[in-house]
Amino acid sequence: MPAFICTACGMQFAPTPQPPAACPVCEDERQYVPPGGQEWTTLEELSRSSANAWRVLEPNLFEIVTTPAFAIGQRAQLLRTPAGNILWDCITLVDSATIELVRSLGGIKAIAISHPHYYSCMVEWAQTFKVPIYLHAADRAWIFRDDPAIVLWEGERKELPHGLTLICCGGHFPGGVVLHWPGGAEGRGALLSGDIVQVVQDRKTVSFMRSFPNFIPMSGPAVERVVKALEPFAFDRIHGAFPTRTIWKDGKRVLKSSAERYLAYIRGDGSAELL
Ligand SMILES: [Zn+2]
Ligand SMILES: [Zn+2]
Protein backbone atom coordinates (compact mmCIF):
# COMPACT_ATOMS: atom_id res chain seq x y z
CA MET A 1 0.00 0.00 0.00
CA PRO A 2 1.38 3.40 -0.88
CA ALA A 3 2.07 6.04 1.76
CA PHE A 4 0.60 9.05 0.01
CA ILE A 5 2.29 12.47 0.15
CA CYS A 6 0.46 15.80 -0.11
CA THR A 7 2.13 17.75 -2.93
CA ALA A 8 1.23 21.09 -1.33
CA CYS A 9 2.84 20.62 2.09
CA GLY A 10 4.99 17.52 1.60
CA MET A 11 3.42 15.55 4.47
CA GLN A 12 3.47 11.78 4.10
CA PHE A 13 0.48 9.87 5.51
CA ALA A 14 0.22 6.31 6.82
CA PRO A 15 -0.15 3.76 3.98
CA THR A 16 -3.68 3.49 2.57
CA PRO A 17 -5.11 1.90 -0.60
CA GLN A 18 -6.48 5.28 -1.74
CA PRO A 19 -5.18 8.81 -1.07
CA PRO A 20 -6.63 10.47 2.06
CA ALA A 21 -9.81 12.48 1.49
CA ALA A 22 -8.03 15.70 2.48
CA CYS A 23 -4.78 16.94 4.00
CA PRO A 24 -5.46 18.38 7.48
CA VAL A 25 -2.19 20.36 7.34
CA CYS A 26 -3.34 22.19 4.19
CA GLU A 27 -6.92 22.57 5.48
CA ASP A 28 -5.54 24.30 8.60
CA GLU A 29 -5.59 28.12 8.62
CA ARG A 30 -1.77 28.19 8.64
CA GLN A 31 -1.58 26.56 5.19
CA TYR A 32 -3.78 26.38 2.10
CA VAL A 33 -5.19 23.97 -0.47
CA PRO A 34 -3.84 25.04 -3.89
CA PRO A 35 -6.35 26.54 -6.38
CA GLY A 36 -6.08 23.40 -8.52
CA GLY A 37 -7.21 21.23 -5.61
CA GLN A 38 -5.59 18.58 -3.49
CA GLU A 39 -3.01 16.38 -5.22
CA TRP A 40 -0.99 13.41 -4.04
CA THR A 41 2.25 11.72 -4.93
CA THR A 42 4.44 8.95 -3.52
CA LEU A 43 8.10 8.86 -2.58
CA GLU A 44 8.80 6.60 -5.56
CA GLU A 45 7.20 9.05 -7.97
CA LEU A 46 8.99 12.03 -6.41
CA SER A 47 12.35 10.24 -6.65
CA ARG A 48 11.91 9.97 -10.41
CA SER A 49 11.42 13.70 -10.96
CA SER A 50 13.55 15.30 -8.24
CA ALA A 51 16.90 15.15 -6.49
CA ASN A 52 18.46 16.71 -3.42
CA ALA A 53 21.06 19.45 -3.65
CA TRP A 54 23.67 19.98 -0.94
CA ARG A 55 25.48 23.06 0.30
CA VAL A 56 27.95 23.60 3.13
CA LEU A 57 26.50 26.37 5.33
CA GLU A 58 29.45 26.49 7.70
CA PRO A 59 31.92 23.90 9.01
CA ASN A 60 29.97 20.81 10.16
CA LEU A 61 26.63 22.03 8.82
CA PHE A 62 25.12 20.96 5.50
CA GLU A 63 21.91 22.20 3.91
CA ILE A 64 19.86 19.63 1.94
CA VAL A 65 17.17 20.95 -0.43
CA THR A 66 15.02 19.20 -3.00
CA THR A 67 15.26 20.45 -6.56
CA PRO A 68 13.08 21.41 -8.32
CA ALA A 69 11.58 22.90 -5.15
CA PHE A 70 8.89 20.63 -3.71
CA ALA A 71 5.88 21.58 -1.53
CA ILE A 72 6.87 24.21 1.07
CA GLY A 73 10.48 24.18 -0.13
CA GLN A 74 12.25 24.13 3.22
CA ARG A 75 15.79 22.91 3.76
CA ALA A 76 16.88 20.10 6.05
CA GLN A 77 20.19 20.61 7.84
CA LEU A 78 22.69 17.90 8.64
CA LEU A 79 24.64 18.92 11.72
CA ARG A 80 27.84 16.98 12.36
CA THR A 81 29.14 16.53 15.89
CA PRO A 82 31.72 14.16 17.41
CA ALA A 83 28.75 12.50 19.18
CA GLY A 84 27.03 11.78 15.84
CA ASN A 85 25.08 13.69 13.22
CA ILE A 86 21.67 15.27 13.76
CA LEU A 87 19.18 15.81 10.98
CA TRP A 88 17.46 19.09 11.81
CA ASP A 89 14.08 19.53 10.17
CA CYS A 90 13.15 17.14 7.46
CA ILE A 91 12.33 17.11 3.77
CA THR A 92 10.07 14.76 1.86
CA LEU A 93 12.62 13.32 -0.56
CA VAL A 94 14.99 10.70 0.75
CA ASP A 95 16.48 8.97 -2.30
CA SER A 96 19.34 6.54 -2.85
CA ALA A 97 21.90 9.29 -3.52
CA THR A 98 20.94 11.07 -0.30
CA ILE A 99 21.11 7.83 1.68
CA GLU A 100 24.57 7.04 0.30
CA LEU A 101 25.87 10.56 0.97
CA VAL A 102 24.49 10.68 4.52
CA ARG A 103 25.99 7.23 5.25
CA SER A 104 29.36 8.34 3.92
CA LEU A 105 29.23 11.23 6.40
CA GLY A 106 28.70 8.78 9.25
CA GLY A 107 24.93 8.38 9.08
CA ILE A 108 22.65 10.13 11.53
CA LYS A 109 22.10 9.67 15.22
CA ALA A 110 18.70 11.35 15.52
CA ILE A 111 16.17 13.51 13.72
CA ALA A 112 14.71 16.61 15.38
CA ILE A 113 11.98 18.70 13.78
CA SER A 114 10.86 22.25 14.51
CA HIS A 115 7.12 21.81 13.86
CA PRO A 116 4.55 19.77 11.86
CA HIS A 117 5.05 21.60 8.52
CA TYR A 118 8.38 19.79 8.27
CA TYR A 119 7.35 16.33 9.46
CA SER A 120 7.30 15.46 5.74
CA CYS A 121 8.76 11.94 5.25
CA MET A 122 10.31 11.75 8.72
CA VAL A 123 9.29 8.11 9.16
CA GLU A 124 11.02 7.08 5.90
CA TRP A 125 14.21 8.85 7.04
CA ALA A 126 13.98 7.29 10.51
CA GLN A 127 13.38 3.78 9.17
CA THR A 128 16.23 4.13 6.67
CA PHE A 129 18.77 5.23 9.27
CA LYS A 130 17.18 3.40 12.23
CA VAL A 131 17.13 6.49 14.42
CA PRO A 132 14.66 8.24 16.75
CA ILE A 133 12.66 11.32 15.75
CA TYR A 134 12.31 13.93 18.51
CA LEU A 135 9.00 15.80 18.29
CA HIS A 136 7.41 18.05 20.85
CA ALA A 137 4.40 16.38 22.45
CA ALA A 138 2.29 19.55 22.15
CA ASP A 139 1.98 18.90 18.40
CA ARG A 140 1.20 15.17 18.59
CA ALA A 141 -2.20 15.69 16.86
CA TRP A 142 -0.32 16.51 13.63
CA ILE A 143 1.35 13.11 13.35
CA PHE A 144 -0.36 11.32 10.47
CA ARG A 145 2.09 8.48 10.08
CA ASP A 146 2.86 7.06 13.49
CA ASP A 147 5.96 4.95 14.08
CA PRO A 148 7.90 3.51 17.03
CA ALA A 149 10.80 5.81 16.03
CA ILE A 150 8.84 8.87 17.17
CA VAL A 151 9.89 10.08 20.61
CA LEU A 152 7.61 12.75 22.07
CA TRP A 153 9.24 15.09 24.54
CA GLU A 154 7.56 17.55 26.87
CA GLY A 155 8.48 20.73 28.67
CA GLU A 156 10.72 23.62 27.69
CA ARG A 157 14.01 21.95 26.81
CA LYS A 158 15.53 18.68 25.74
CA GLU A 159 19.28 18.16 25.88
CA LEU A 160 20.93 16.26 23.03
CA PRO A 161 24.53 14.99 22.97
CA HIS A 162 27.44 17.39 22.45
CA GLY A 163 25.77 20.34 24.14
CA LEU A 164 22.90 20.68 21.67
CA THR A 165 19.56 21.78 23.11
CA LEU A 166 16.04 21.60 21.71
CA ILE A 167 14.15 24.65 22.99
CA CYS A 168 10.36 24.77 22.90
CA CYS A 169 9.39 28.35 21.99
CA GLY A 170 5.79 27.75 20.88
CA GLY A 171 4.38 30.49 18.68
CA HIS A 172 3.83 29.33 15.10
CA PHE A 173 2.81 25.96 16.62
CA PRO A 174 2.33 25.20 20.34
CA GLY A 175 5.24 22.76 20.15
CA GLY A 176 7.45 25.01 18.00
CA VAL A 177 11.10 24.07 18.61
CA VAL A 178 14.45 25.72 17.88
CA LEU A 179 17.80 23.89 18.03
CA HIS A 180 20.69 25.59 19.82
CA TRP A 181 24.17 24.60 18.63
CA PRO A 182 26.84 26.11 20.87
CA GLY A 183 29.65 25.13 18.48
CA GLY A 184 28.06 26.98 15.54
CA ALA A 185 29.40 30.26 14.15
CA GLU A 186 32.99 29.34 15.06
CA GLY A 187 32.01 28.75 18.67
CA ARG A 188 29.86 31.86 19.13
CA GLY A 189 26.73 29.70 18.89
CA ALA A 190 23.99 29.24 16.30
CA LEU A 191 20.25 28.67 16.24
CA LEU A 192 18.58 26.39 13.72
CA SER A 193 15.23 28.07 13.84
CA GLY A 194 12.78 26.55 11.34
CA ASP A 195 9.66 28.73 11.00
CA ILE A 196 9.68 29.50 14.71
CA VAL A 197 12.06 32.41 14.31
CA GLN A 198 11.67 33.14 10.61
CA VAL A 199 14.68 34.60 8.82
CA VAL A 200 12.90 36.84 6.30
CA GLN A 201 13.61 38.03 2.75
CA ASP A 202 15.99 40.85 3.69
CA ARG A 203 18.17 38.30 5.52
CA LYS A 204 18.92 41.04 8.05
CA THR A 205 15.91 40.60 10.34
CA VAL A 206 13.58 37.86 11.60
CA SER A 207 9.84 37.71 12.09
CA PHE A 208 7.10 35.68 13.71
CA MET A 209 3.78 34.57 12.21
CA ARG A 210 1.03 32.12 12.95
CA SER A 211 0.63 31.72 9.18
CA PHE A 212 3.21 32.89 6.67
CA PRO A 213 1.20 32.19 3.48
CA ASN A 214 -2.07 33.58 4.92
CA PHE A 215 -0.53 36.57 6.75
CA ILE A 216 -1.96 35.71 10.17
CA PRO A 217 0.18 37.42 12.79
CA MET A 218 1.29 36.04 16.10
CA SER A 219 0.12 37.72 19.31
CA GLY A 220 2.44 39.94 21.33
CA PRO A 221 2.62 37.55 24.31
CA ALA A 222 3.50 34.66 21.97
CA VAL A 223 6.41 36.64 20.48
CA GLU A 224 7.57 37.59 23.96
CA ARG A 225 7.52 33.92 24.92
CA VAL A 226 9.76 33.01 21.95
CA VAL A 227 12.29 35.71 22.91
CA LYS A 228 12.21 34.67 26.57
CA ALA A 229 12.77 30.99 25.76
CA LEU A 230 15.92 31.89 23.79
CA GLU A 231 17.22 34.47 26.26
CA PRO A 232 19.55 32.14 28.24
CA PHE A 233 21.35 30.92 25.09
CA ALA A 234 24.39 32.42 23.43
CA PHE A 235 24.24 32.64 19.64
CA ASP A 236 25.53 34.84 16.87
CA ARG A 237 24.03 33.10 13.84
CA ILE A 238 20.49 32.05 12.89
CA HIS A 239 19.94 29.47 10.16
CA GLY A 240 16.29 29.75 9.07
CA ALA A 241 14.01 27.30 7.32
CA PHE A 242 14.75 28.22 3.71
CA PRO A 243 17.79 28.30 1.44
CA THR A 244 19.82 31.55 1.75
CA ARG A 245 17.85 32.53 4.87
CA THR A 246 20.67 32.86 7.37
CA ILE A 247 21.54 35.73 9.70
CA TRP A 248 25.31 35.37 9.63
CA LYS A 249 26.22 37.58 12.57
CA ASP A 250 24.71 39.56 15.43
CA GLY A 251 21.85 37.06 15.64
CA LYS A 252 21.18 37.81 19.28
CA ARG A 253 20.79 41.54 18.63
CA VAL A 254 18.77 40.86 15.44
CA LEU A 255 16.30 38.69 17.39
CA LYS A 256 15.87 41.38 20.03
CA SER A 257 15.47 44.33 17.64
CA SER A 258 13.19 42.36 15.28
CA ALA A 259 10.95 41.36 18.18
CA GLU A 260 10.83 44.99 19.39
CA ARG A 261 9.85 46.14 15.88
CA TYR A 262 7.18 43.44 15.66
CA LEU A 263 5.75 44.25 19.09
CA ALA A 264 5.62 47.97 18.30
CA TYR A 265 3.46 47.25 15.24
CA ILE A 266 1.28 44.59 16.79
CA ARG A 267 0.49 46.77 19.82
CA GLY A 268 -0.90 49.26 17.37
CA ASP A 269 -0.04 52.48 19.19
CA GLY A 270 1.11 54.03 15.91
CA SER A 271 4.64 54.67 17.11
CA ALA A 272 6.23 52.06 14.82
CA GLU A 273 4.98 53.78 11.64
CA LEU A 274 6.66 56.99 12.73
CA LEU A 275 10.11 55.44 13.06
ZN1 LIG B 1 -0.89 19.13 2.78
ZN1 LIG C 1 5.50 26.33 9.37
Side-chain angles (χ1 to χ4, degrees):
M1 267 195 302
F4 286 97
I5 294 165
C6 168
T7 59
C9 73
M11 176 76 91
Q12 187 188 49
F13 290 73
T16 45
Q18 298 298 323
C23 171
V25 177
C26 290
E27 299 278 351
D28 176 53
E29 69 175 10
R30 280 164 284 210
Q31 277 295 121
Y32 60 95
V33 176
Q38 188 70 61
E39 287 179 13
W40 303 93
T41 188
T42 60
L43 192 51
E44 201 188 340
E45 205 174 280
L46 186 64
S47 307
R48 284 199 291 268
S49 59
S50 306
N52 286 335
W54 291 62
R55 185 178 277 126
V56 175
L57 294 175
E58 60 173 283
N60 296 316
L61 187 67
F62 288 92
E63 163 190 290
I64 314 172
V65 187
T66 301
T67 177
F70 177 71
I72 297 174
Q74 78 274 15
R75 56 185 178 188
Q77 290 168 61
L78 185 75
L79 171 55
R80 305 186 75 193
T81 85
N85 303 333
I86 301 291
L87 185 74
W88 167 251
D89 274 340
C90 201
I91 52 176
T92 304
L93 181 62
V94 51
D95 60 3
S96 53
T98 307
I99 294 165
E100 204 164 314
L101 287 166
V102 170
R103 287 212 170 112
S104 72
L105 291 165
I108 49 181
K109 190 104 179 162
I111 300 168
I113 303 181
S114 60
H115 71 295
H117 287 151
Y118 304 148
Y119 287 177
S120 59
C121 269
M122 60 179 179
V123 171
E124 301 278 352
W125 284 80
Q127 289 179 352
T128 301
F129 296 103
K130 301 187 172 41
V131 292
I133 309 164
Y134 297 121
L135 304 181
H136 199 279
D139 294 335
R140 66 187 349 137
W142 297 96
I143 298 166
F144 298 110
R145 184 175 180 187
D146 207 357
D147 191 87
I150 295 172
V151 178
L152 295 172
W153 64 277
E154 294 181 26
E156 290 179 8
R157 292 177 201 169
K158 179 174 177 59
E159 310 284 335
L160 297 181
H162 202 64
L164 305 181
T165 309
L166 297 174
I167 307 157
C168 182
C169 299
H172 180 53
F173 269 80
V177 171
V178 165
L179 173 66
H180 179 246
W181 172 32
E186 297 81 43
R188 298 186 304 279
L191 295 181
L192 279 53
S193 68
D195 289 353
I196 311 310
V197 173
Q198 188 75 269
V199 177
V200 295
Q201 299 273 17
D202 64 13
R203 296 180 306 284
K204 291 186 280 193
T205 62
V206 298
S207 198
F208 317 87
M209 295 287 265
R210 174 166 172 81
S211 168
F212 294 94
N214 302 328
F215 304 119
I216 309 172
M218 205 188 281
S219 71
V223 171
E224 285 168 345
R225 184 189 156 195
V226 173
V227 173
K228 191 161 174 277
L230 297 171
E231 184 61 41
F233 294 88
F235 58 91
D236 195 40
R237 195 164 286 166
I238 307 174
H239 292 289
F242 297 96
T244 77
R245 304 286 191 91
T246 291
I247 303 287
W248 290 100
K249 58 180 171 49
D250 270 343
K252 191 96 180 166
R253 185 193 54 77
V254 166
L255 175 69
K256 188 171 179 285
S257 60
S258 300
E260 281 166 1
R261 176 182 68 174
Y262 186 99
L263 291 166
Y265 276 109
I266 207 81
R267 284 179 184 136
D269 60 6
S271 64
E273 281 91 343
L274 301 174
L275 292 175

